[in-house]
Amino acid sequence: MGLALLVPCALPGFASAAEEVKVKSTEFVGMTAPASVQDMARLYSTASLKVTYTDGSVRSFPLTYKTLFKTTDSVNGTPAGLAIDAAGKPIMDNSVPSNPVPFVSDDPDSNSLMKIEGAAATGKGGNPLSLITHYEYITTNNAGKSAYGMVPASMSLTTIDQNKTSGELTAVDLKKIDFSSVDGLWIPCNGSLTPWNTHLGSEEYEPDARAYEADHNETYTDSFAKSYYQEEAKAANPYAYGWLPEVTVKADNSTDVVKHYSMGRFSHELGRVAPDLKTVFFGDDGGNTMLFMYVADQAQNLSAGTLYAAKWLQTGDENGGSANLQWISLGHASDSEIKSYVDKGVAFSDMFETAEQDTPGFTKIKTYPSGKVEWLKVKPGMEQAAAFLEARRYAATLGATSEFNKMEGVAFNNKDKRVYVAMSYVEKSMEKDTKGADPTDDIAVKKIRAGVVYEMPMTGGQKDSSGAAINSEYVAASMKGLVAGVDLAKADSKGNTADDEHIANPDNLAFSEELRTLYIGEDSGMHANNYVWAYSVDTKKLSRILVTPAGAEATGLQVVDSLNGFSYIMSNIQHPGDEMILPEPLKTDVEQQINKNFENKRAGAVGYLHGVPTSKQMIEWKDTDKSLSVLRDTAEAKGAKVAWNEANRTVTITKGGSSLTVKVGEAAATLNGQQVQLPYAAKLENERTLFPSGILNSFLK
């Protein structure tokens, strides 16, 4: 090989159509599970994307995790995770009377990174972007006691500067979003960006209105209202919470907030809108939950529509099970109709009669949030109120299946018309009821504590259980397990009770149309460290692409295939170091390191995986030096040998009779004994040598 091979020789625009090089395939090269104390206590990626071209060349694009901010960081004066009351003032934590401090969440969740047309420049020279982030709850107060659900939650709107050359993101301003017009925000879990560029949030674990009516201490409702309105005697209403809020960001950085009461009240993990811009699927988190679908009357308008609940008609019990789905209509409503019931103060007892045993005219059910067997009868004229305020209880009386367990994230594969849903733990109500204690036993699948991601093909021309047509081309007709975790018979040396090379307790889901990849984020008590995985729906390969600190949950997963020409995988972490399953003394060592990295476990992190190229960049950067490749991955993929010399920090690649020696940190290399200049220095990042891609590929030809 000669020196000329180090110079990209293919000039844009001179190749004939027959010689045009295209992308043949893409593949994530995953990372190993963390082994050291330091790695088990940090948030990082050493994964890469390998691109193979039709001319046989291969290029490796390294991924790097970049933190935008921690929840305890102040962005232009505002702590990111700050809890605020109805007046926009900080809610104070007085658990230590001598040291009152504001409540600041350690639990960031959903991200919606978006471009708002007409937004003002950031002042840093890049493209202005907007980012909405959830702060789901606060793990502990200043005294170290649980604060879960007791303090109103929040969302932030962050102004982001997107570097026009590198695509890197920088937070330049942050403000808290005002929810006072909709009674505050209750436990926002995941969310999604709608196809019309608004943020669709969530309110998870809705308060049990029946329990609240019997005893106000049975839910967090009063504590929430007292904190939010800063009024000791403020009347609380459990039916004000458990909805999907939609947030619209305007060019002047102001926001509009609405709650969509017509979409039903239940434990909203999130809602995801189908490509028809009107069909919505949901996660319903908790035990004994349901699969719901909403079909809006009009595209891009979620203020009125028909709500459906699924009945599982089982066809198999392996790999999470399989079933045909029958949809039961709960009725039609508008937001204003259902909100009128909330405003009137309608109570559980206004909608339902109850019994304590099998009684003629009463239906025996078991659903979240009570998780107990109940006998219910809807009062005449209260069907609509019951259907939307108590969607799960009402649907159960109509025969819908309420046996799903920990139903979490949802994602769409538009090309294949598939919707994916994560079931974090396939157990309990999803197992066969061998005691015959439950009202129904629709779901009777084999237990997989490590959970399953299901796929549901969508189609049109479907009818509901009454024979009425469903006005959607995106109705899920069946459901089966796609990606399953693997339970271990006993814990391994790190405390894992699920196989560390497979998913465990899937939660967040997101799908890349460009890469044909399903991303899976974990919320597991079965893995010592939680991960984000990339699953190719074509090759079925599963690759670990992000490691979170022990005890942290991977949250806020969003895929942006192209935004001003750059791709992003948004991903956050919650509560690092919480309830670690590591054995001693490893647990203590890792915990000490987590305390150093994350403010004594009081800080979550908001950030993204950087380095995934768009389909356009894969071609444009093929023979240029716009980015760096992972030297070892790229060289070994082409049959070269790679040797690392720790003493002088050099890497030597040999192929055929040629050798290339690279020293980390220097903008020069040695080719067959002769020194050549590089456009920029090779560097070491996350224990990987990164090297100018065009030059590396030229050498390997």
Side-chain angles (χ1 to χ4, degrees):
M1 294 185 181
L3 287 174
L5 289 177
L6 287 179
V7 181
C9 56
L11 297 176
F14 282 81
S16 68
E19 298 171 336
E20 183 182 359
V21 176
K22 297 180 180 180
V23 173
K24 180 180 180 181
S25 65
T26 60
E27 176 187 359
F28 278 98
V29 178
M31 53 196 292
T32 59
S36 68
V37 168
Q38 289 73 23
D39 283 350
M40 296 182 77
R42 69 187 180 107
L43 175 57
Y44 69 102
S45 177
T46 58
S48 60
L49 182 72
K50 184 174 76 173
V51 179
T52 302
Y53 299 89
T54 52
D55 66 354
S57 63
V58 176
R59 181 159 185 174
S60 177
F61 293 86
L63 306 187
T64 303
Y65 186 82
K66 294 184 178 293
T67 300
L68 281 169
F69 51 82
K70 295 179 183 177
T71 57
T72 50
D73 290 345
S74 288
V75 181
N76 201 20
T78 302
L82 182 70
I84 60 171
D85 63 20
K89 297 179 180 179
I91 299 174
M92 300 303 293
D93 177 0
N94 296 305
S95 59
V96 179
S98 62
N99 183 32
V101 295
F103 276 110
V104 175
S105 174
D106 59 320
D107 297 287
D109 205 299
S110 175
N111 291 309
S112 280
L113 181 68
M114 64 185 89
K115 176 182 178 180
I116 305 300
E117 294 298 333
T122 65
K124 289 186 173 291
N127 299 309
L129 301 178
S130 296
L131 175 70
I132 290 181
T133 304
H134 290 185
Y135 301 89
E136 187 175 359
Y137 57 92
I138 295 165
T139 302
T140 58
N141 62 20
N142 204 29
K145 296 183 179 180
S146 176
Y148 181 88
M150 300 178 189
V151 182
S154 70
M155 293 187 196
S156 65
L157 173 60
T158 308
T159 299
I160 300 289
D161 180 85
Q162 180 193 43
N163 186 285
K164 294 180 179 179
T165 301
S166 68
E168 291 196 34
L169 306 178
T170 304
V172 297
D173 192 22
L174 182 147
K175 71 174 187 176
K176 306 302 290 193
I177 297 174
D178 180 10
F179 278 82
S180 61
S181 63
V182 291
D183 302 303
L185 181 63
W186 179 277
I187 311 180
C189 195
N190 203 351
S192 65
L193 184 67
T194 68
W196 53 92
N197 211 40
T198 62
H199 174 74
L200 200 58
S202 60
E203 289 187 313
E204 189 181 50
Y205 301 138
E206 84 281 15
D208 187 343
R210 180 180 183 179
Y212 179 81
E213 190 174 350
D215 180 356
H216 286 201
N217 293 318
E218 285 296 307
T219 76
Y220 302 127
T221 313
D222 283 353
S223 171
F224 179 102
K226 175 183 173 181
S227 295
Y228 191 62
Y229 293 103
Q230 295 293 297
E231 296 179 23
E232 192 69 31
K234 176 68 178 179
N237 183 353
Y239 287 126
Y241 309 106
W243 309 101
L244 251 70
E246 183 176 9
V247 182
T248 301
V249 181
K250 299 180 180 181
D252 64 359
N253 215 36
S254 64
T255 54
D256 280 342
V257 177
V258 297
K259 285 186 181 179
H260 288 304
Y261 303 96
S262 65
M263 300 183 84
R265 178 178 173 271
F266 45 92
S267 181
H268 284 288
E269 171 78 15
L270 85 163
R272 185 87 66 175
V273 182
D276 66 352
L277 313 185
K278 65 177 186 177
T279 304
V280 184
F281 285 90
F282 310 89
D284 184 16
D285 200 353
N288 286 97
T289 58
M290 286 187 172
L291 177 63
F292 290 98
M293 176 180 68
Y294 177 82
V295 181
D297 294 347
Q298 300 176 13
Q300 301 188 49
N301 185 345
L302 304 178
S303 65
T306 303
L307 184 63
Y308 298 86
K311 186 173 183 65
W312 169 281
L313 304 173
Q314 186 159 309
T315 57
D317 64 358
E318 298 285 344
N319 197 47
S322 58
N324 294 319
L325 298 175
Q326 181 185 70
W327 290 99
I328 298 171
S329 173
L330 307 189
H332 178 278
S334 66
D335 286 351
S336 59
E337 286 176 318
I338 304 307
K339 188 176 188 302
S340 69
Y341 296 117
V342 179
D343 293 342
K344 291 174 187 174
V346 169
F348 175 86
S349 61
D350 294 324
M351 296 178 285
F352 293 95
E353 292 182 48
T354 63
E356 298 301 319
Q357 59 187 7
D358 290 340
T359 305
F362 287 78
T363 304
K364 184 180 181 182
I365 70 165
K366 183 179 181 181
T367 74
Y368 187 87
S370 77
K372 301 174 184 178
V373 173
E374 299 176 301
W375 289 264
L376 302 179
K377 181 167 67 172
V378 180
K379 292 183 176 181
M382 297 304 291
E383 290 82 4
Q384 186 186 62
F388 291 86
L389 295 181
E390 290 284 353
R392 210 181 294 102
R393 281 176 164 129
Y394 180 78
T397 69
L398 299 182
T401 299
S402 58
E403 297 165 32
F404 295 100
N405 187 67
K406 293 295 291 177
M407 184 188 295
E408 305 277 358
V410 176
F412 281 104
N413 172 345
N414 297 342
K415 180 180 178 181
D416 298 335
K417 289 192 75 170
R418 295 287 190 272
V419 58
Y420 306 105
V421 63
M423 212 72 61
S424 197
Y425 290 81
V426 176
E427 60 175 354
K428 298 178 181 177
S429 56
M430 296 186 72
E431 297 178 74
K432 184 174 180 57
D433 177 18
T434 57
K435 298 180 180 179
D438 292 337
T440 61
D441 195 27
D442 294 342
I443 305 178
V445 303
K446 293 181 180 179
K447 179 179 181 178
I448 305 177
R449 289 201 72 243
V452 174
V453 176
Y454 292 82
E455 71 170 349
M456 297 183 285
M458 298 177 291
T459 185
Q462 299 296 297
K463 295 182 179 180
D464 67 21
S465 60
S466 73
I470 300 175
N471 186 25
S472 171
E473 295 298 311
Y474 288 85
V475 178
S478 62
M479 182 173 178
K480 68 176 182 179
L482 177 67
V483 186
V486 177
D487 299 345
L488 298 178
K490 63 178 182 179
D492 66 14
S493 61
K494 292 200 294 186
N496 292 310
T497 55
D499 191 319
D500 217 21
E501 298 306 313
H502 294 81
I503 66 167
N505 312 122
D507 191 322
N508 284 197
L509 299 180
F511 189 79
S512 167
E513 295 287 339
E514 280 202 352
L515 295 179
R516 305 269 301 155
T517 297
L518 178 65
Y519 298 95
I520 305 168
E522 295 182 342
D523 176 14
S524 178
M526 301 179 71
H527 274 171
N529 290 80
N530 282 321
Y531 310 120
V532 173
W533 301 87
Y535 175 79
S536 168
V537 296
D538 295 323
T539 67
K540 313 304 180 188
K541 180 183 178 182
L542 184 70
S543 306
R544 184 189 292 107
I545 61 171
L546 182 66
V547 170
T548 75
E553 174 185 346
T555 63
L557 190 60
Q558 180 198 10
V559 170
V560 182
D561 274 335
S562 183
L563 186 56
N564 293 326
F566 294 95
S567 293
Y568 304 96
I569 303 171
M570 307 299 299
S571 189
N572 306 336
I573 60 161
Q574 293 184 350
H575 51 72
D578 186 42
E579 298 181 358
M580 289 190 292
I581 62 173
L582 296 167
E584 294 290 4
L586 180 59
K587 178 180 178 181
T588 296
D589 293 341
V590 172
E591 186 171 38
Q592 289 176 348
Q593 193 64 43
I594 286 175
N595 284 337
K596 292 179 183 178
N597 294 344
F598 298 99
E599 319 299 331
N600 291 316
K601 298 188 223 174
R602 292 195 173 274
V606 175
Y608 63 101
L609 277 165
H610 183 63
V612 179
T614 65
S615 56
K616 184 178 180 181
Q617 287 170 338
M618 291 178 197
I619 298 298
E620 289 182 343
W621 293 356
K622 176 183 179 295
D623 293 311
T624 69
D625 293 308
K626 289 282 188 180
S627 72
L628 299 168
S629 281
V630 180
L631 188 148
R632 181 177 294 275
D633 291 350
T634 305
E636 290 182 346
K638 297 295 290 184
K641 294 183 178 180
V642 181
W644 167 254
N645 187 320
E646 178 66 33
N648 57 20
R649 295 175 64 79
T650 60
V651 183
T652 299
I653 313 167
T654 56
K655 186 178 182 183
S658 296
S659 67
L660 177 69
T661 299
V662 180
K663 186 169 185 177
V664 172
E666 290 190 1
T670 302
L671 174 67
N672 297 331
Q674 292 184 299
Q675 191 175 63
V676 294
Q677 291 300 119
L678 304 177
Y680 36 74
K683 65 178 181 177
L684 198 65
E685 189 173 278
N686 289 328
E687 300 177 1
R688 302 173 299 178
T689 301
L690 306 183
F691 189 79
S693 303
I695 290 176
L696 182 59
N697 284 327
S698 294
F699 172 79
L700 294 169
K701 284 182 180 178

